[in-house]
Amino acid sequence: MSKAEKEILKPATIIVNMSEEDRLRRDMYRPDMEKFRLFTKMLRTNVLLKKVIITYK
């Protein structure tokens, strides 16, 4: 595995105090493969949330 592939597979660090504009600017310069992975993760999360059944009131 090349060094570039290892960098892509490394988990992203979470920055709490980041404005929306800064977050979008950071995401805009991500590699295409990372953007694709984030997009598919978003789709899987959305499907999961649609399947959730609330059992308490």
Side-chain angles (χ1 to χ4, degrees):
M1 189 179 303
S2 71
K3 187 175 182 180
E5 290 173 335
K6 288 179 183 178
E7 286 294 319
I8 291 173
L9 296 176
K10 189 171 28 172
T13 57
I14 299 172
I15 301 172
V16 177
N17 296 330
M18 185 178 281
S19 72
E20 183 73 13
E21 185 176 315
D22 292 337
R23 187 186 61 80
L24 290 173
R25 188 176 294 118
R26 182 197 63 199
D27 290 344
M28 184 172 61
Y29 294 110
R30 288 181 188 264
D32 290 340
M33 196 64 202
E34 190 173 347
K35 288 179 189 176
F36 178 70
R37 286 187 180 125
L38 289 171
F39 177 70
T40 55
K41 181 179 176 183
M42 179 190 68
L43 292 177
R44 285 192 304 265
T45 303
N46 192 27
V47 168
L48 178 69
L49 292 175
K50 286 183 179 182
K51 290 181 180 180
V52 170
I53 299 171
I54 300 173
T55 59
Y56 65 90
K57 291 186 178 192

